[in-house]
Amino acid sequence: MDASALKTSASDALTAFLQHLAGERRLSLRTVDAYQRDISGFVAFLTGHLGEAVSLQTLSEVSARDFRAFMAARRKTGLAARSLAREMSALRSFYTYLERRWEVSSTALLLVELPKVPRSKPKPISETAARDLVEQVGERDVPDWVAARDVAVLLLLYGCGLRISEALSLTGRDRSLGEGLRVTGKGGKTRLVPVLPNVAEAVRKYAALAPFDLEPEVALFRGVRGGPLGPRPVQKLVEDMRLALGLAPSATPHALRHAFATHLLAHGGDLRAIQELLGHASLSTTQVYAEVEADNLLKLYDKAHPRSQG
């Protein structure tokens, strides 16, 4: 690395990194702000820890011991393991950028073991709640095509296990669903998802009522002004229905995808088949649904078994 570049301040390097995130990687302002906070906090720690202004030279000489001292200091503030893991991930991204642009090594950071983050369990809604939610959505006092649209979207989440982004990425060519739907999910991975007759019928009903030309190349689901339907209206819809039905705060659009997996498993579905339907790269990701179902069975056992009645 050029000797003059070593004198570049950490602040200037961070500014360049944030511009890279916003410009080249096109991350949201909220995400860029989070990177700025996390990395600025690390630079401030180094300034006090080393007793000097932080430059690229300083960043290139940070040892694994220094990184561990930073983690220890953050833990002392009461920072949760999940938040600390996020900060360390931000630092790794920052150092990857520094290495690519200025040849600043990130080897020491790679030697540091990240905090263990407990895996959170999905919170599916019950079969009754899922049915009531879809029924209530279809009975609102809104234009028929809007009600049909919202029912179709929710049934794609619950009946096919789609992510909300996957459902909203469907185009006009998907208006007449057959027995299977080809979906491109995270990482560009494509999977074939079976389509239940009532799901296909809901989509066809919406397409027939929609007051727009649903060309093959444009978004299938539209907002009231004709533009592509975004995720926020769907989230707000489920939030309103959740309050109306007295459901838990965990009842979100994504909870319908969780419910799809959990209810399939409860009715004898094979875990590996569910992995394929959900588009999970690893079986361990899907395994958590088996844990949820086991927990539910234990709760039913505790509630119903004669010995639990005291």
Side-chain angles (χ1 to χ4, degrees):
M1 178 170 54
D2 190 291
S4 61
L6 287 172
K7 298 179 182 179
T8 301
S9 70
S11 176
D12 288 342
L14 175 55
T15 297
F17 175 59
L18 298 177
Q19 290 172 345
H20 161 72
L21 295 179
E24 296 178 38
R25 292 183 55 185
R26 297 185 179 278
L27 299 185
S28 69
L29 179 60
R30 182 177 179 180
T31 300
V32 174
D33 285 344
Y35 273 103
Q36 192 276 332
R37 288 193 303 272
D38 291 343
I39 298 167
S40 292
F42 173 69
V43 172
F45 166 79
L46 277 185
T47 302
H49 180 64
L50 301 176
E52 61 182 41
V54 178
S55 64
L56 281 181
Q57 175 79 53
T58 313
L59 292 173
S60 70
E61 296 173 350
V62 177
S63 67
R65 179 179 297 178
D66 294 325
F67 285 118
R68 294 189 185 101
F70 168 70
M71 294 173 65
R74 297 297 285 139
R75 286 195 187 98
K76 287 181 180 178
T77 68
L79 190 70
R82 188 178 301 278
S83 297
L84 181 54
R86 188 205 67 232
E87 290 189 1
M88 298 305 293
S89 177
L91 282 179
R92 285 190 171 184
S93 296
F94 181 47
Y95 265 86
T96 298
Y97 173 79
L98 297 181
E99 187 164 23
R100 185 170 66 249
R101 179 164 179 178
W102 285 294
E103 299 179 7
V104 171
S105 174
S106 59
T107 303
L109 180 53
L110 296 176
L111 295 175
V112 177
E113 185 176 356
L114 296 183
K116 292 289 188 289
V117 179
R119 184 172 61 177
S120 60
K121 293 182 180 180
K123 298 177 180 178
I125 62 177
S126 69
E127 294 183 43
T128 300
R131 182 181 64 248
D132 291 346
L133 180 61
V134 174
E135 287 180 356
Q136 288 293 317
V137 163
E139 294 174 0
R140 291 171 301 141
D141 184 19
V142 295
D144 289 346
W145 76 269
V146 173
R149 177 200 68 189
D150 294 341
V151 167
V153 171
L154 296 190
L155 282 177
L156 284 166
L157 306 184
Y158 180 54
C160 296
L162 301 193
R163 300 177 178 92
I164 187 170
S165 60
E166 293 169 345
L168 298 183
S169 70
L170 299 182
T171 65
R173 67 166 51 89
D174 300 307
R175 59 186 297 164
S176 298
L177 295 179
E179 296 181 351
L181 174 64
R182 193 169 296 279
V183 178
T184 301
K186 288 185 176 180
K189 183 179 179 181
T190 300
R191 67 188 190 277
L192 185 63
V193 179
V195 178
L196 297 172
N198 66 322
V199 178
E201 176 56 31
V203 173
R204 284 193 291 267
K205 180 180 178 180
Y206 156 69
L209 292 173
F212 310 107
D213 292 328
L214 304 177
E215 297 92 348
E217 301 300 327
V218 301
L220 173 62
F221 296 111
R222 309 289 189 83
V224 292
R225 296 183 179 179
L229 181 66
R232 183 53 197 155
V234 181
Q235 293 164 347
K236 181 65 166 58
L237 167 67
V238 175
E239 181 180 327
D240 292 343
M241 291 298 99
R242 180 189 79 209
L243 294 173
L245 294 170
L247 302 179
S250 57
T252 63
H254 203 66
L256 289 170
R257 173 174 155 89
H258 292 324
F260 164 82
T262 307
H263 298 167
L264 270 181
L265 194 62
H267 289 282
D270 176 73
L271 199 61
R272 287 200 175 274
I274 294 172
Q275 175 193 354
E276 292 297 323
L277 293 176
L278 292 174
H280 287 162
S282 168
L283 183 63
S284 63
T285 306
T286 316
Q287 184 71 39
V288 70
Y289 292 106
E291 297 171 10
V292 171
E293 181 55 25
D295 286 347
N296 290 339
L297 289 173
L298 285 173
K299 289 176 183 177
L300 287 173
Y301 176 86
D302 288 340
K303 183 178 180 180
H305 195 281
R307 294 293 295 272
S308 69
Q309 306 304 315

